[in-house]
Amino acid sequence: MQTFRTPSTTADADRPATLPAGLGRRSFLGLALGAGAVLTLAACGSDATPATAGGTGGTLKWGWALPTSWDPVTSSAGWDVHVLSLVYAGLTKENEKGDPVPALAESWKYTADGTSVTFTLRKGTTFSDGTPLDATAVKKSIERGRDHPKSLIAAQLANIKTVTAPDAGTLTLSLAKPDFQLPALFAGKTGMVVNPKAFEAGADAAALATKPAGAGPFTLTSYVQNSRAVLRRNPTYWDAARIKTENFEVYPLPEPSTVVAALQSGQYNVAQIPGSQVEAAKAAGLQVQVIPSLVVATLDVNIKKAPFTDPDVALALKYAIDRQELLKATAFGHGEVSYQPFPKGYVGHNDELDDLYPYNPQKARELLAKAGHADGVELTITTSVAQGVPELVQAQLKKVGITAKIEVIPASQATQIIYIQHSRALFTDQFAGRDSAVQAFQVLFGEQGLMNPGRTVDPELTAALDVVRRTPLESPEYPKLLQKATSIAVRSMPNVFLYTVPRILARSPKVSEIPAFTVVQRFEGVTAS
């Protein structure tokens, strides 16, 4: 049986002390990579005596993004995971390298065939309102994610046949087929445990969209839609000793032209900034951290829409793009050219793909001629970004005979138009990565994948991913099998990957260094004075 146990001390919580030999070397990341109504909430647990030490005062003001929903089941953006992690906890979390490590579960065991996994929960944990967080509560939360008619995480949980809670501290999942990805999957939105009191009979489950009910490091105390979320440290959080900031505020993504001034004025003391503002932030005396992430800029191609119904046109697009020029001009060199969904150092990154589709206008023109477009072809670039990438892509396509017009749609409508209605041929986007590598493949290339607008699948890729699921994460074969799946996906699917997008955070000198978590940004140990 595959076993994972928690380290013996809280200080070592991110260091997998008893991982099977070699997993550290085969880690997920081998390198550190309009205003609505005001909603006021009870600060559940905020007046309780802290169960552990921590909380040194101060307020962290984060210019980042507000979630599409505070309910992890109906949240529609991968980006939401960063803020939802402030108010929810999962059975697992991921350390700086991307390895799944204990969180609400202190250990887990798989059966040898991978068709059942048992989690042992920490004793004495509660939700932020004081309700016991036991195996029955986790069971109900998982079943809701799998079975809720509007669940956007259901596809990731479909393989779970039954969830049983034989006692308060034990949870067993029986699977339809082997799947060793669950510890990684449960580190993200899919594994966030929602308090059943918020959705069981008599509860207004729809309220979860604005009133989260979790067991995370903070509790939401007030929320102004599209404007601000105010949170307070949760003293009953299982790892509360490492949460030093007493208050936390989250704001929408700042305007690039004003973010440095807003940081100087104190409107924020930590904020996401674009590459274009790095030098200005440094000149203003701000601290700047460039944290590797799983985000990659992409062009999403719908091969059921002309002119991409011809595979040669879709292939020509990959050679027509000068990724280095895009990286330099739009990201000011922060990031790396990429031809695949995973960054260098990630276990799924395949080095053989590093220059698979080099900029080659002549080859692009030849492929277009082969498709019957020797005299050129017209298309539309749909985007939710007013300037930058779309204009440069438009200019690059013109050089190979593709005349493109630009259509700008509201970001709030992009998911509906592009990924639900499937009504556009080409869209500029960014893929936020996922905690589980197989989940990332599902989102990008799966039959129901949100970022697969054509909803086409490759049987060879499906078979390769099935093998990956059946392989324990600590197996020496796992990296090779995952990289094989990456190669099949990149060669067979139409997605055009452009460059990696690091998380660039500027902060006041009064805020301590932000931990470099590659997958989900967390704030253990951060202080603000």
Side-chain angles (χ1 to χ4, degrees):
M1 303 178 78
Q2 184 203 17
T3 305
F4 189 107
R5 294 196 179 277
T6 183
S8 58
T9 65
T10 301
D12 291 335
D14 281 339
R15 190 162 60 247
T18 56
L19 273 171
L23 183 54
R25 293 189 300 273
R26 294 187 298 274
S27 61
F28 275 94
L29 280 159
L31 47 86
L33 296 173
V38 178
L39 177 69
T40 302
L41 309 170
C44 300
S46 61
D47 295 325
T49 301
T52 53
T56 59
T59 300
L60 199 67
K61 300 179 180 181
W62 193 19
W64 178 254
L66 292 171
T68 58
S69 170
W70 288 96
D71 182 354
V73 166
T74 59
S75 156
S76 62
W79 198 256
D80 289 349
V81 69
H82 300 280
V83 173
L84 294 181
S85 292
L86 297 174
V87 294
Y88 289 102
L91 291 176
T92 64
K93 62 178 182 177
E94 290 187 347
N95 62 16
E96 289 93 336
K97 295 182 178 180
D99 297 318
V101 295
L104 292 175
E106 63 181 10
S107 66
W108 56 84
K109 291 183 180 180
Y110 268 97
T111 55
D113 64 359
T115 60
S116 178
V117 58
T118 296
F119 291 89
T120 300
L121 305 185
R122 296 180 187 275
K123 295 180 179 179
T125 57
T126 67
F127 291 100
S128 59
D129 68 350
T131 303
L133 198 164
D134 56 17
T136 298
V138 179
K139 164 183 160 65
K140 292 177 179 178
S141 181
I142 292 174
E143 290 175 338
R144 175 177 180 260
R146 182 193 62 187
D147 303 333
H148 191 286
K150 294 184 179 180
S151 173
L152 297 179
I153 61 173
Q156 282 78 54
L157 299 172
N159 190 40
I160 298 175
K161 290 197 303 183
T162 61
V163 186
T164 57
D167 57 60
T170 306
L171 184 80
T172 298
L173 280 64
S174 175
L175 311 178
K177 57 184 178 181
D179 189 350
F180 287 96
Q181 292 280 312
L182 289 183
L185 183 69
F186 283 159
K189 282 196 300 182
T190 307
M192 291 178 177
V193 181
V194 179
N195 189 340
K197 285 179 62 176
F199 60 78
E200 288 187 312
D204 180 12
L208 278 166
T210 55
K211 299 178 181 179
F218 296 91
T219 301
L220 186 70
T221 60
S222 68
Y223 177 48
V224 182
Q225 290 182 326
N226 304 317
S227 179
R228 184 176 69 158
V230 178
L231 306 98
R232 188 172 182 184
R233 178 179 175 273
N234 174 18
T236 66
Y237 175 54
W238 72 267
D239 200 16
R242 300 177 68 199
I243 305 303
K244 305 300 182 182
T245 305
E246 193 67 33
N247 302 295
F248 205 114
E249 299 177 5
V250 185
Y251 296 86
L253 187 66
E255 288 292 332
S257 61
T258 62
V259 62
V260 172
L263 282 159
Q264 288 179 296
S265 70
Q267 181 179 349
Y268 321 115
N269 51 20
V270 178
Q272 169 87 350
I273 65 172
S276 60
Q277 296 299 311
V278 168
E279 295 307 315
K282 291 180 179 178
L286 301 170
Q287 302 296 313
V288 177
Q289 290 180 247
V290 181
I291 301 174
S293 80
L294 292 185
V295 179
V296 59
T298 66
L299 297 178
D300 296 333
V301 179
N302 188 338
I303 61 174
K304 292 183 178 178
K305 292 288 183 181
F308 300 114
T309 49
D310 190 313
D312 283 322
V313 177
L315 184 57
L317 183 65
K318 296 186 178 186
Y319 287 104
I321 300 300
D322 186 342
R323 295 165 176 79
Q324 188 62 52
E325 183 183 33
L326 283 173
L327 177 65
K328 182 178 179 180
T330 65
F332 285 69
H334 293 284
E336 296 182 337
V337 165
S338 182
Y339 299 88
Q340 56 189 300
F342 305 125
K344 292 179 179 178
Y346 185 80
V347 67
H349 181 92
N350 189 324
D351 292 344
E352 296 178 357
L353 305 175
D354 281 346
D355 198 29
L356 182 63
Y357 300 111
Y359 180 51
N360 190 334
Q362 179 58 35
K363 187 173 183 64
R365 285 191 288 268
E366 291 172 357
L367 287 165
L368 289 173
K370 180 181 175 184
H373 301 294
D375 296 327
V377 64
E378 297 181 354
L379 57 80
T380 297
I381 301 171
T382 303
T383 183
S384 58
V385 180
Q387 58 186 356
V389 172
E391 285 82 6
L392 197 49
V393 169
Q394 180 187 48
Q396 292 179 357
L397 295 183
K398 186 175 182 179
K399 295 178 181 178
V400 302
I402 299 176
T403 301
K405 65 178 182 180
I406 296 174
E407 175 196 30
V408 181
I409 60 175
S412 60
Q413 298 177 20
T415 297
Q416 180 70 27
I417 294 172
I418 305 301
Y419 303 117
I420 296 178
Q421 297 176 357
H422 317 298
S423 60
R424 301 296 190 273
L426 184 64
F427 182 65
T428 67
D429 203 0
Q430 291 186 357
F431 174 57
R434 293 297 187 272
D435 301 85
S436 159
V438 171
Q439 183 189 13
F441 278 99
Q442 288 177 321
V443 172
L444 287 168
F445 312 117
E447 186 174 6
Q448 299 302 319
L450 186 64
M451 295 183 69
N452 180 10
R455 291 297 194 268
T456 55
V457 295
D458 181 271
E460 185 182 4
L461 177 58
T462 300
L465 287 178
D466 188 54
V467 174
V468 171
R469 283 192 190 91
R470 294 171 181 270
T471 305
L473 302 182
E474 74 276 9
S475 167
E477 295 299 308
Y478 181 75
K480 180 172 62 177
L481 294 170
L482 185 57
Q483 289 164 25
K484 177 182 177 182
T486 302
S487 179
I488 295 171
V490 171
R491 295 175 190 275
S492 65
M493 301 298 286
N495 313 60
V496 182
F497 299 100
L498 304 174
Y499 52 86
T500 62
V501 183
R503 190 179 311 129
I504 307 177
L505 299 179
R507 71 179 197 277
S508 162
K510 294 182 179 181
V511 175
S512 64
E513 185 173 0
I514 308 297
F517 287 97
T518 305
V519 185
V520 177
Q521 186 58 61
R522 299 209 311 273
F523 295 89
E524 283 93 335
V526 177
T527 59
S529 60

